C-alpha cells in the first residue's frame, strides 16, 4: 500500500515536471501556466514529502538491516538540499511578475530545478522504493 501510493505520487510528479519542461521552451508565452505549475508542484511535493516522512522513512530508519538505515539517512540528507533549493526557487519565481522581472535567471534556474527533482524521483524509484516492495 505504501509503495503503491508513493509510486502514484511519483507518476503525478513526473507528468507535471514533463509539462513544465515543455512550457519552459517559450517562457514568455507560457508565464501564467508556469507560475501556476510552480505553485502546484510545491503543493504536490509537500504532500509527497509528508507521505515519505510518515510512512517510508519511519519504516526504513527502523529497519533491522543497518545498510537500509544508512541508505535512508543518506536520502533524507540529500532531499534536504533539494527541498531547500526548490523552496528558494519557488519563493523567487512563484508569480508571473517575479518570473518576468528576471527572466534570464529564471530560465537557467527553471531547467536546473526541474532536472534536479526529476533525477531525485528517478533515484528514489531505482534505489529506495525497491527496499519496501
Amino acid at each position: 500500500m505504501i509503495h503503491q501510493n508513493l509510486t502514484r505520487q511519483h507518476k503525478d510528479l513526473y507528468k507535471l515536471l514533463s509539462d513544465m519542461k515543455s512550457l519552459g521552451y517559450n517562457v514568455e508565452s507560457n508565464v501564467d501556466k508556469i507560475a501556476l505549475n510552480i505553485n502546484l508542484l510545491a503543493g504536490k511535493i509537500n504532500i509527497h514529502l509528508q507521505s515519505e516522512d510518515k510512512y517510508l522513512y519511519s519504516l526504513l530508519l527502523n529497519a533491522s538491516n543497518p545498510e537500509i538505515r544508512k541508505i535512508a539517512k543518506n536520502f533524507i540528507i540529500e532531499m534536504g538540499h533539494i527541498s531547500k533549493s526548490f523552496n528558494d526557487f519557488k519563493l523567487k519565481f512563484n508569480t508571473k511578475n517575479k518570473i518576468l522581472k528576471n527572466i534570464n535567471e529564471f530560465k537557467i534556474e527553471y531547467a536546473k530545478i526541474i532536472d534536479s527533482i526529476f533525477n531525485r524521483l528517478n533515484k528514489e524509484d531505482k534505489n529506495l522504493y525497491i527496499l519496501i516492495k
Side-chain angles (χ1 to χ4, degrees):
M1 172 82 174
I2 295 168
H3 185 265
Q4 290 172 333
N5 188 38
L6 294 174
T7 300
R8 180 192 48 78
Q9 290 175 358
H10 272 205
K11 285 181 183 176
D12 290 346
L13 288 166
Y14 281 127
K15 170 76 171 97
L16 180 55
L17 289 167
S18 177
D19 292 347
M20 291 175 72
K21 192 168 196 155
S22 64
L23 291 172
Y25 293 120
N26 193 346
V27 173
E28 293 84 352
S29 297
N30 296 315
V31 70
D32 290 318
K33 289 179 187 175
I34 291 170
L36 176 68
N37 282 337
I38 289 169
N39 291 295
L40 183 59
L41 181 62
K44 286 184 178 283
I45 286 175
N46 188 38
I47 290 168
H48 182 65
L49 292 177
Q50 288 176 13
S51 296
E52 283 185 338
D53 287 347
K54 185 174 180 180
Y55 301 109
L56 176 67
Y57 289 116
S58 63
L59 178 72
L60 296 178
L61 290 172
N62 291 306
S64 59
N65 183 327
E67 185 61 27
I68 290 175
R69 292 194 306 267
K70 180 182 175 187
I71 291 168
K73 287 177 188 173
N74 288 338
F75 267 84
I76 290 168
I77 291 167
E78 180 184 277
M79 190 61 225
H81 298 299
I82 295 168
S83 186
K84 181 180 179 341
S85 295
F86 175 70
N87 194 50
D88 292 347
F89 170 83
K90 178 192 69 156
L91 292 173
K92 200 175 191 179
F93 297 114
N94 65 343
T95 67
K96 175 182 178 177
N97 290 337
K98 289 179 183 178
I99 293 169
L100 293 175
K101 185 177 173 184
N102 200 347
I103 198 157
N104 291 330
E105 183 180 355
F106 171 79
K107 287 177 181 180
I108 293 166
E109 289 190 33
Y110 186 70
K112 285 182 186 176
I113 203 72
I114 288 174
D115 288 344
S116 174
I117 296 168
F118 183 87
N119 291 337
R120 170 59 187 223
L121 295 172
N122 195 28
K123 186 175 178 181
E124 286 179 358
D125 287 340
K126 290 182 177 176
N127 302 312
L128 189 65
Y129 287 10
I130 60 168
L131 300 175
I132 59 168
K133 275 190 173 180

